[in-house]
Amino acid sequence: MNNTKAPFRYDIVGSFLRPVALMKMREAFANGNATAEDLRQAEDAAIRDLVAKEKEVGLCAVTDGEFRRRYWHLDFLAALGGVEEIGAAHWSVAFKGAQPKAATVKIVDKVDFGAHPFLDHFQFLNDLAGDAIAKMTIPSPSMLHLICCVRATDYAPIPRYEKEDALFEDIALAYQKAIRAFYEAGCRYLQLDDTSWGEFCDPEKRAAYEARGFNLDRIERAYVAMINRALEAKPADMTITMHICRGNFRSTWFSSGGYEPVAEILFGGCRVDGFFLEYDSDRAGGFAPLDHIKDQRVVLGLVTSKSGALEKREDIIARIHEAEKHVPLDQLCLSPQCGFSSTEEGNILTEEEQWNKLRFIKEVAELVWK
């Protein structure tokens, strides 16, 4: 277990099931029956309790569970300069089951990063972390372009972004500011959450996007270039990882397909320090695309967060050694395939089952990396 730098041998993606008391308070706030201060105090109390439980279960890195958010991504994106949240008739992608409350974002001015509320969110977490590392999760730069310019069928660029390269550059520069701001606040472990690559792995989605005239290889290369441009602001003692997801709402999903279509461009070109990769079902395909990994750590999401049933220990260990045929064991780690609550509604399992998953991951990691 000689892994003292993030990502860790046993790690987490970030979100946790919201406590019932917090969900009730958020509902009361939405209905006008509680103040913003009431909600903040409920969030503070829930996060204090969560961090204590994360430490108790033995995690090296702790998060705030994304308890202050409704969605894993829109809350952050909507608070960027030049971006507004807007209503929507339906969600921008179709899950294979229940659907989230519809909302989206729109680019209305120059994209920028300024006095973002997530900085205060991180500082509160960092004060609680103690000997653990405070891990911050935010949507990847590519998510803003994906939502506004690829998924949306009515995108019309503002004059500043009639040349798309200008948009990619402004997003990258905004994220450079974000990286510096989180670093100055004490953040040394930042994760970029990204469902674009999961979509680009899906043959049906690729075909649908290409039918609309998108050149996905060009977009993928532009996304990697944009992320790498943002990473130019990363100090040497800061770890930045990427989590790739195929959808996670109420234990359902919206993309399916192995990493083959994106592996060379993403794994071979993106200069993040590690990849958190979904591998809990056959929808993620095999490990062969990991041949394109360079020196990044690969956190294998072999343990599902979509159900409470525990996997078989020997099966997970066997799959880690199968992945070892493509990436050295010293570069591998273990985590849940995703968070437990990518939106405030949460996946379909109990809090006890959630914590049992993390204890199980720690147990397996300690057996594999002795």
Side-chain angles (χ1 to χ4, degrees), residues 121-297:
H121 299 176
F122 173 78
Q123 288 173 334
F124 183 85
L125 171 66
N126 201 34
D127 289 342
L128 295 174
D131 293 338
I133 292 178
K135 176 180 181 178
M136 189 65 190
T137 63
I138 61 174
S140 175
S142 53
M143 291 308 303
L144 182 59
H145 183 273
L146 179 80
I147 293 169
C148 296
C149 312
V150 179
R151 287 182 184 171
T153 57
D154 59 351
Y155 173 64
I158 62 173
R160 181 181 181 87
Y161 297 136
E162 288 178 357
K163 293 185 177 179
E164 196 169 41
D165 285 348
L167 175 57
F168 289 134
E169 177 70 358
D170 277 356
I171 295 173
L173 293 180
Y175 270 77
Q176 283 190 5
K177 289 183 179 180
I179 289 169
R180 294 190 187 101
F182 281 116
Y183 184 84
E184 289 170 5
C187 182
R188 298 298 181 269
Y189 189 5
L190 182 68
Q191 179 175 288
L192 307 175
D193 292 324
D194 203 322
T195 64
S196 66
W197 303 100
E199 290 189 48
F200 297 158
C201 289
D202 189 310
E204 292 184 5
K205 284 186 169 56
R206 290 189 72 89
Y209 283 142
E210 288 166 355
R212 290 174 52 204
F214 291 107
N215 181 328
L216 293 189
D217 281 353
R218 186 195 69 79
I219 291 175
E220 290 165 22
R221 294 184 190 282
Y223 282 4
V224 167
M226 177 172 59
I227 293 166
N228 286 344
R229 181 85 166 99
L231 292 174
E232 291 175 11
K234 184 180 83 72
D237 61 340
M238 186 182 199
T239 296
I240 299 183
T241 59
M242 177 186 289
H243 168 237
I244 296 172
C245 180
R246 290 167 177 77
N248 189 53
F249 173 74
R250 298 297 288 160
S251 297
T252 187
W253 48 276
F254 58 70
S255 294
S256 183
Y259 294 98
E260 285 85 355
V262 304
E264 182 176 1
I265 292 173
L266 178 62
F267 298 156
C270 191
R271 294 194 290 271
V272 291
D273 297 306
F275 290 102
F276 281 72
L277 300 181
E278 178 178 339
Y279 266 119
D280 67 321
S281 74
D282 57 8
R283 291 188 300 103
F287 295 121
L290 299 183
D291 288 338
H292 293 281
I293 290 289
K294 294 182 177 178
D295 58 351
Q296 308 101 326
R297 287 192 180 273

Side-chain angles (χ1 to χ4, degrees), residues 9-175:
R9 292 296 182 211
Y10 49 93
D11 214 318
I12 51 173
V13 171
S15 66
F16 283 87
L17 295 173
R18 280 34 166 196
V20 172
L22 178 58
M23 295 180 73
K24 288 182 177 179
M25 179 58 75
R26 189 171 294 283
E27 182 179 4
F29 175 72
N31 293 333
N33 296 321
T35 67
E37 180 60 19
D38 292 333
L39 177 58
R40 186 193 65 78
Q41 290 184 13
E43 291 168 345
D44 289 355
I47 292 167
R48 289 190 189 98
D49 183 59
L50 173 71
V51 171
K53 290 177 179 176
E54 290 177 280
K55 291 180 179 180
E56 181 183 349
V57 85
L59 293 175
C60 301
V62 298
T63 73
D64 65 2
E66 302 178 4
F67 281 2
R68 302 188 197 275
R69 309 184 205 180
R70 298 160 301 150
Y71 307 94
W72 64 274
H73 57 332
L74 293 186
D75 300 70
F76 179 88
L77 296 174
L80 293 173
V83 181
E84 289 183 0
E85 182 176 324
I86 58 174
H90 53 78
W91 196 244
S92 56
V93 287
F95 282 84
K96 308 299 180 180
Q99 304 298 312
K101 295 189 290 286
T104 190
V105 289
K106 182 178 182 180
I107 297 169
V108 297
D109 204 340
K110 178 186 176 182
V111 177
D112 205 352
F113 183 91
H116 200 290
F118 277 39
L119 292 171
D120 288 338
H121 299 176
F122 173 78
Q123 288 173 334
F124 183 85
L125 171 66
N126 201 34
D127 289 342
L128 295 174
D131 293 338
I133 292 178
K135 176 180 181 178
M136 189 65 190
T137 63
I138 61 174
S140 175
S142 53
M143 291 308 303
L144 182 59
H145 183 273
L146 179 80
I147 293 169
C148 296
C149 312
V150 179
R151 287 182 184 171
T153 57
D154 59 351
Y155 173 64
I158 62 173
R160 181 181 181 87
Y161 297 136
E162 288 178 357
K163 293 185 177 179
E164 196 169 41
D165 285 348
L167 175 57
F168 289 134
E169 177 70 358
D170 277 356
I171 295 173
L173 293 180
Y175 270 77

Side-chain angles (χ1 to χ4, degrees), residues 12-16 243 248 305-306 336-342 347:
I12 51 173
V13 171
S15 66
F16 283 87
H243 168 237
N248 189 53
S305 67
K306 295 185 186 299
Q337 128 274 340
C338 195
F340 295 96
S341 189
S342 297
N347 281 347

Side-chain angles (χ1 to χ4, degrees), residues 290-344:
L290 299 183
D291 288 338
H292 293 281
I293 290 289
K294 294 182 177 178
D295 58 351
Q296 308 101 326
R297 287 192 180 273
V298 175
V299 187
L300 299 169
L302 295 168
V303 176
T304 191
S305 67
K306 295 185 186 299
S307 78
L310 283 181
E311 289 79 357
K312 293 182 179 179
R313 184 173 63 186
E314 58 270 25
D315 291 347
I316 300 300
I317 292 174
R319 294 203 70 198
I320 292 171
H321 290 306
E322 184 183 345
E324 186 187 2
K325 297 174 184 177
H326 304 276
V327 178
L329 186 63
D330 190 53
Q331 285 177 238
L332 297 175
C333 305
L334 182 64
S335 78
Q337 128 274 340
C338 195
F340 295 96
S341 189
S342 297
T343 69
E344 60 186 329

